């Protein structure tokens, strides 16, 4: 039975992975509790995450699975857009917890997950148990993850927290001689969870990192043993991919289907990705954030900063034969990540765009998190070599001392210059950085070559603790986050109440000027927050036809982005016609934006104004005349070219119109409107086309008096149905087949994994309780086939 001390050494790192993030964020959030500002850096949390989660919890509390959202973009699929992450199991807590409590639990929980994953990944790469703590602290509390927790939407943090688990499982899967199937299943499960709750770009980034490691492993293995062994190892990833696709199927299939007909098709963002000024960093910015814990705007730490201890030790594995190959891979991956983050400033980015999945996303700077993980792991290997190798320890002292002198001189010079600019806080951070480099060098040299094991353990704990303290000081949370101020977003509460009482089924347009700062912008998801039908949103995945309509009518999407966030400087006659075509009755704007608008003013308070659009199309109407367009392009030209025909209750359909239905007469009204079903009552003098101003989607079905009918495209983006003369009940219902098929795939995969696990447990029990067993023959010696410097017993202290 292990001793108490052995148990403490074994489980202490696990406990620290839970306690350190909680303490770190407890004090960070406490200091920021009274700050309630929203700006460019943290806008995603309040313009996207908070409204999406609020809508999902609103639906879930009513017992409704939020498949469709009628309050955005003239109606749009909600589940398929993926970034809300509501199919990620921990996110379901949002249905029962207050928003702030849920956000705090997700924030602290995923930082603990990231720290534990980096610690475990370092162990898999061969670091000692206590040395691996440095990797956990440096990655979880470093600039990349800390920045995501303070600024980015929650899905980015979820994916980044799963990064080290995926890399560690990739290495474990490739090294395993037996029981590799469960490692493959675990890798697939982490990929699925990362996709269900995370950001797709980070999922692709993890695939690139793990794929690079697997490729290098296969090349080394092929050189040593031949192609057959390497091919067999690589085939293991087929099982991992199958598990990942199966478990994520409920989200993957609808998202892929929507992407195929969206403005974000593969390759559609190549130009934006290469030219977006917010999407890449400069070489100076990388070096600055890497070498010094300088503050970015608003107190954000440098994205590449992992602490002076990890940075000082990251080069030491090159002086150890045990870790040299692994350090080479980690530095290669980090360098490639920085090369991609530089964007079109570096040729590597052009090559990167040819990699599968790269052209789907536009912000290469996000690859900084990959470099942060690799540096953290390399630093842990360096700390582990210090505890073992005389040469590495001596080299570490020399390197740290050599680096301390220029760092200290640069810090003092910067301090002197910055003092005149009243930037003492950043200057002290630089000075502290140089002092820490010098301190690490002295600390490494003082124990001497005959230091006891207890002293080495204490040194490793000191490295991790000092890094946590340093990274705490390098990040200053100066803005609101949902964990402290979920209501920080300024909402036009009184104006929304006014509109809610008068809107009916008509729509709202929230007008924003591109020159207005974030606190003075009306949230583009205001419809979701207030239950108002809106034509605008802050969404990155929606039907391409809708984007075309908005672009052609002069309400562009956000510059350099795929988001549908209309900014307008004016509302003239053409824009007003467009609003009438979409059934918009009210325009909401801030008074200080001062849009030149020529519409009747119906509401005004201290901050907001509401205008009424005259004679918009009703939400449902009977087409007085119908014109047929032979193709989608012809339909678009007809909609753009003859708005007066449409505003006179006309309709344009794609394909031939049935005989006798080119004109219609009668009335139609909404009897019951729910997110996933719409019931109409039509009283028609003759067979007519009934048009519903809700966005067309191939998964909407319609029935007339209970008998199935066909949904037709009307006015290029809306839904219509041919209804015979007389009084009829028309019911639209949303049945997304990709969601149903994906749910069946996920359930089947989960059942198969549980069944396989049960069978494995049964076999293990039978083997262990089967009486006297024959003595096992000694295993044949395994040849040295470990790629990238793997050695037997690396994980042992």
């Amino acid at each position: 039975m292990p001793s108490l001390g052995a148990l403490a050494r074994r489980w202490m790192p696990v406990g620290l992975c839970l306690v350190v993030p909680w303490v770190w964020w407890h004090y960070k959030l406490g200091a920021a509790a009274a700050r309630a500002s929203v700006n460019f850096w943290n806008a995603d949390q309040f313009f996207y995450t908070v409204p999406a989660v609020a809508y999902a919890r609103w639906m879930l509390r009513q017992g409704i699975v939020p498949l469709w959202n009628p309050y955005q973009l003239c109606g749009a699929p909600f589940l398929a857009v993926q970034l809300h992450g509501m199919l990620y199991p921990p996110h379901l807590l949002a249905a029962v917890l207050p928003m702030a409590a849920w956000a705090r639990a997700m924030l602290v929980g995923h930082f603990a997950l990231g720290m534990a994953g980096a610690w475990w990944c370092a162990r898999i790469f061969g670091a000692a148990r206590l040395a691996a703590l440095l990797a956990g602290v440096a990655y979880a509390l470093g600039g990349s993850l800390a920045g995501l927790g303070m600024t980015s939407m929650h899905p980015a943090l979820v994916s980044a927290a799963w990064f080290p688990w995926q890399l560690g499982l990739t290495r474990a899967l490739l090294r395993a001689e037996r029981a590799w199937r469960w490692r493959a299943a675990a890798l697939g499960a982490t990929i699925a969870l990362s996709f269900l709750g995370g950001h797709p770009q980070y999922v692709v980034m993890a695939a690139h990192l793990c794929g690079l490691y697997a490729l290098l492993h296969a090349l080394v293995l092929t050189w040593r043993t031949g192609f057959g062994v390497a091919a067999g190892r690589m085939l293991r990833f087929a099982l991992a991919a199958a598990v990942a696709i199966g478990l994520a199927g409920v989200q993957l299939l609808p998202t892929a289907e929507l992407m195929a007909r969206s403005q974000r098709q593969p390759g559609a963002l190549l130009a934006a990705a290469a030219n977006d000024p917010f999407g890449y960093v400069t070489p100076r910015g990388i070096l600055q954030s890497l070498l010094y814990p300088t503050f970015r705007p608003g107190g954000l730490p440098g994205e590449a900063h992992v602490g002076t201890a990890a940075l000082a030790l990251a080069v030491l594995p090159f002086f150890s034969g045990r870790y040299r190959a692994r350090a080479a891979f980690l530095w290669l991956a980090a360098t490639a990540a920085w090369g991609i983050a530089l964007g079109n400033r570096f040729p590597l980015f052009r090559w990167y765009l040819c990699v599968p999945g790269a052209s789907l996303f536009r912000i290469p700077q996000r690859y900084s998190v990959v470099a942060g993980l690799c540096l953290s792991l390399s630093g842990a290997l360096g700390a582990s070599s210090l505890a073992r190798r005389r040469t590495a320890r001596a080299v570490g002292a020399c390197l740290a001392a050599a680096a301390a002198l220029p760092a200290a001189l640069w810090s003092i010079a910067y301090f002197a210059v910055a003092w005149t600019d009243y930037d003492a806080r950043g200057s002290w951070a630089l000075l502290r950085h140089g002092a820490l480099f010098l301190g690490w060098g002295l600390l490494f040299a003082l124990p001497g070559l005959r230091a006891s094991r207890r002293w080495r353990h204490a040194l490793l704990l000191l490295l991790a603790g000092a890094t946590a303290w340093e990274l705490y000081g390098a990040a200053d949370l100066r803005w609101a986050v949902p964990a402290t101020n979920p209501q920080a977003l300024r909402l036009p509460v009184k104006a929304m109440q006014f509109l809610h009482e008068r809107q009916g089924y008509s729509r709202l347009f929230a007008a924003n000027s591109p020159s207005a700062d974030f606190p003075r912008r009306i949230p583009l998801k205001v419809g979701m927050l207030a239950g108002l039908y809106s034509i605008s949103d802050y969404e990155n995945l929606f039907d391409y036809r809708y984007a075309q309509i908005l672009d052609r009518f002069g309400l562009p999407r956000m510059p350099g982005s795929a988001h549908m966030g209309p900014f307008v400087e004016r509302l003239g006659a053409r824009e007003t016609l467009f609003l009438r075509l979409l059934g918009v009755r009210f325009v909401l704007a801030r008074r200080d934006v001062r849009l030149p608008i020529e519409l009747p003013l119906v509401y005004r308070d201290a901050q907001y104004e509401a205008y009424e659009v005259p004679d918009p199309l009703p939400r449902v109407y009977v087409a007085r005349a119908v014109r047929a367009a032979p193709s989608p392009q012809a339909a678009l030209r007809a909609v753009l070219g003859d708005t007066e025909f449409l505003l006179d209750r006309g309709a344009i359909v794609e394909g031939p119109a049935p005989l006798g239905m080119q004109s219609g007469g009668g009335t139609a009204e909404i009897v019951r409107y729910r997110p996933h079903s719409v019931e109409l009552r039509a009283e028609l003098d003759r067979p007519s086309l009934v048009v519903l101003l809700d966005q067309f989607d191939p998964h909407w079905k319609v029935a007339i008096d209970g008998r199935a009918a066909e949904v037709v495209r009307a006015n290029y983006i809306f839904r219509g149905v041919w209804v015979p003369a007389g009084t009829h009940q028309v019911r639209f219902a949303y049945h997304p087949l990709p969601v149903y098929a994906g749910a069946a795939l996920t359930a089947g995969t989960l059942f198969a994994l549980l069944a396989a696990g049960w069978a494995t447990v049964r076999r293990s029990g039978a083997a262990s309780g089967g009486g006297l067993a024959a003595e096992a023959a000694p295993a044949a010696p395994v040849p040295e086939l470990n790629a990238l410097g793997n050695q037997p017993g690396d994980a042992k202290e």
Side-chain angles (χ1 to χ4, degrees):
M1 182 176 180
S3 64
L4 185 61
L7 289 175
R9 287 193 300 270
R10 177 176 300 177
W11 292 104
M12 181 179 60
V14 178
L16 290 176
C17 289
L18 299 176
V19 173
V20 171
W22 183 85
V23 173
W24 201 89
W25 277 107
H26 174 76
Y27 287 100
K28 282 293 179 191
L29 296 178
R35 299 166 184 168
S37 61
V38 178
N39 51 47
F40 172 83
W41 298 97
N42 65 342
D44 277 349
Q45 300 201 39
F46 293 95
F47 278 62
Y48 193 95
T49 299
V50 169
V53 173
Y55 176 75
R57 63 185 290 169
W58 176 31
M59 292 291 103
L60 291 174
R61 288 183 174 185
Q62 299 179 64
I64 301 174
V65 179
L67 302 175
W68 182 267
N69 186 357
Y71 302 108
Q72 62 175 359
L73 303 171
C74 291
F78 179 77
L79 192 65
V81 297
Q82 193 270 338
L83 279 180
H84 50 72
M86 291 315 300
L87 292 178
Y88 184 58
H91 282 182
L92 297 178
L93 292 173
V96 296
L97 292 178
M99 179 67 74
W102 172 84
R104 182 183 290 263
M106 294 298 102
L107 183 67
V108 176
H110 283 91
F111 268 78
L113 181 69
M115 182 174 173
W119 172 80
W120 179 79
C121 186
R123 293 283 290 150
I124 292 296
F125 269 78
R129 182 178 288 108
L130 295 180
L133 278 175
L134 180 62
V137 170
Y139 178 67
L141 308 182
S144 295
L145 249 66
L148 292 178
M150 294 177 182
T151 63
S152 185
M153 59 179 65
H154 184 64
L157 175 60
V158 172
S159 290
W162 285 108
F163 258 20
W165 294 97
Q166 293 163 1
L167 180 59
L169 284 168
T170 298
R171 176 174 164 83
L173 177 60
L174 289 170
R175 296 180 67 200
E177 298 296 335
R178 299 177 181 177
W180 60 267
R181 293 175 181 83
W182 287 111
R183 291 177 173 85
L187 176 59
T190 59
I191 296 173
L193 288 170
S194 182
F195 180 78
L196 289 175
H199 195 293
Q201 183 173 2
Y202 287 81
V203 179
V204 173
M205 287 157 52
H208 291 165
L209 176 62
C210 297
L212 176 63
Y213 182 88
L215 177 61
L216 294 177
H217 182 99
L219 292 176
V220 174
L221 204 59
T222 301
W223 174 63
R224 291 182 176 178
T225 65
F227 178 76
V229 176
R233 296 291 176 91
M234 296 301 291
L235 285 176
R236 297 177 178 183
F237 288 96
L239 176 59
V243 172
I245 293 173
L247 291 179
V250 65
Q251 183 68 76
L252 180 62
L253 294 188
T255 300
E257 190 266 346
L258 179 59
M259 180 177 291
R261 54 187 175 89
S262 75
Q263 88 292 357
R264 208 155 191 173
Q265 300 171 6
L269 297 183
L270 286 177
N275 300 301
D276 186 357
F278 299 107
Y280 53 81
V281 294
T282 63
R284 178 184 177 184
I286 292 178
L287 290 175
Q288 192 177 34
S289 64
L290 177 67
L291 297 176
Y292 300 97
T294 54
F295 292 93
R296 288 190 291 156
L300 294 177
E303 282 188 302
H305 189 61
V306 293
T308 52
L311 187 59
L313 298 175
V315 297
L316 293 191
F318 286 102
F319 297 93
S320 171
R322 181 186 299 269
Y323 300 126
R324 186 175 297 120
R326 272 162 279 181
F329 162 74
L330 293 173
W331 276 95
L332 173 64
T335 305
W338 287 324
I340 295 171
L342 290 174
N344 58 3
R345 296 173 180 268
F346 194 66
L348 179 63
F349 181 70
R350 296 292 180 181
W351 305 337
Y352 156 76
L353 290 177
C354 300
V355 177
S359 63
L360 294 173
F361 309 102
R362 69 179 183 91
I363 304 182
Q365 183 179 347
R366 289 172 174 155
Y367 268 81
S368 297
V369 69
V370 175
L373 174 60
C374 294
L375 280 183
S376 302
L377 295 175
S378 186
L381 296 181
S384 187
S385 66
L386 275 176
R388 304 181 188 195
R389 300 275 184 171
R390 293 184 178 184
T391 304
R393 191 158 63 247
V395 170
C398 295
L399 288 176
L405 181 60
L409 293 176
W410 193 355
S411 300
I412 293 172
Y414 190 91
F415 175 80
V417 174
W419 182 264
T420 61
D421 296 332
Y422 303 98
D423 189 18
R425 184 182 183 89
S427 303
W428 279 115
L430 295 176
L431 189 62
R432 182 183 60 194
H433 186 90
L436 283 173
F437 255 118
L438 182 61
W440 294 130
L442 294 175
L443 188 61
F444 297 155
L446 283 178
L449 301 180
R450 298 182 179 180
S452 66
R453 183 177 182 182
R454 182 173 298 180
W455 171 261
R456 296 198 303 269
H457 288 175
L459 175 60
L460 294 176
L461 286 176
L462 179 62
L463 286 172
T467 299
W469 171 81
E470 179 190 358
L471 293 175
Y472 181 88
D476 186 16
L477 182 55
R478 303 180 186 177
W479 304 315
V481 292
T484 57
N485 296 286
Q487 307 298 330
L489 197 61
R490 297 180 183 180
L491 297 175
V493 178
K494 295 181 179 180
M496 291 190 302
Q497 292 175 349
F498 172 86
L499 297 173
H500 202 281
E501 295 172 356
R502 292 162 177 79
Q503 184 185 40
Y505 293 112
S506 61
R507 288 201 165 92
L508 167 73
F509 172 62
N512 285 295
S513 171
S515 59
D517 56 21
F518 280 88
R520 293 191 297 117
R521 289 180 184 175
I522 300 172
L524 292 171
K525 287 184 178 288
V526 65
M528 297 171 59
L529 292 168
L532 297 170
Y533 303 107
S534 174
I535 69 167
S536 57
D537 199 350
Y538 186 58
E539 197 59 75
N540 67 338
L541 198 62
F542 56 94
D543 193 275
Y544 179 66
R545 292 191 177 208
Y546 196 85
Q548 283 185 309
I549 287 289
L550 266 65
D551 289 343
R552 299 297 180 87
F553 272 97
L555 297 180
R557 291 168 280 140
M558 293 177 66
S561 172
H563 293 285
M564 206 310 288
F567 295 119
V568 295
E569 293 287 1
R570 60 182 297 274
L571 284 177
R574 181 174 176 81
E575 291 81 11
T576 304
L577 288 177
F578 164 76
L579 298 180
R580 292 172 63 193
L581 288 176
L582 297 188
V584 174
R585 183 184 173 191
F586 295 105
V587 175
L588 180 64
R590 288 188 60 104
R591 294 184 62 177
D592 54 2
V593 173
R594 298 191 180 279
L595 293 174
I597 190 168
E598 299 178 359
L599 295 173
L601 180 66
V602 295
Y603 174 83
R604 171 177 288 175
D605 60 25
Q607 293 182 323
Y608 300 95
E609 295 175 336
Y611 301 86
E612 186 169 8
V613 179
D615 195 24
L617 280 176
R619 189 67 171 271
V620 60
Y621 68 92
V622 178
R624 296 175 181 173
V626 179
R627 295 178 182 174
S631 65
Q633 294 76 15
L636 178 61
R637 289 193 298 268
V639 169
L640 298 175
D642 198 350
T643 55
E644 293 297 334
F645 169 75
L646 299 177
L647 293 174
D648 193 33
R649 307 284 178 94
I652 297 171
V653 297
E654 298 176 22
L659 295 176
M661 291 192 177
Q662 286 76 17
S663 62
T667 61
E669 61 178 352
I670 297 176
V671 177
R672 192 177 189 182
Y673 197 102
R674 290 187 171 185
H676 305 143
S677 64
V678 182
E679 296 181 13
L680 311 177
R681 177 181 174 86
E683 297 182 358
L684 306 179
D685 302 332
R686 52 188 180 274
S688 306
L689 177 70
V690 176
V691 179
L692 177 65
L693 296 188
D694 280 3
Q695 194 175 166
F696 179 91
D697 187 279
H699 305 296
W700 276 97
K701 309 300 179 184
V702 66
I704 302 174
D705 298 330
R707 290 178 293 184
E710 181 183 1
V711 181
V712 299
R713 289 186 182 268
N715 300 352
Y716 194 65
I717 58 174
F718 292 133
R719 304 199 295 263
V721 59
W722 301 105
V723 182
T727 301
H728 301 280
Q729 298 293 327
V730 180
R731 185 177 187 274
F732 289 89
Y734 187 57
H735 297 291
L737 294 181
V739 174
Y740 301 154
L745 179 60
T746 298
T749 304
L750 188 60
F751 176 80
L753 291 175
L754 292 175
W758 174 253
T760 301
V761 171
R762 291 286 301 272
R763 286 196 300 269
S764 299
S768 61
L772 296 176
E775 182 178 355
V782 179
E784 179 57 45
L785 303 179
N786 297 307
L788 303 180
N790 304 332
Q791 299 289 340
D794 277 346
K796 296 180 181 179
E797 189 147 339

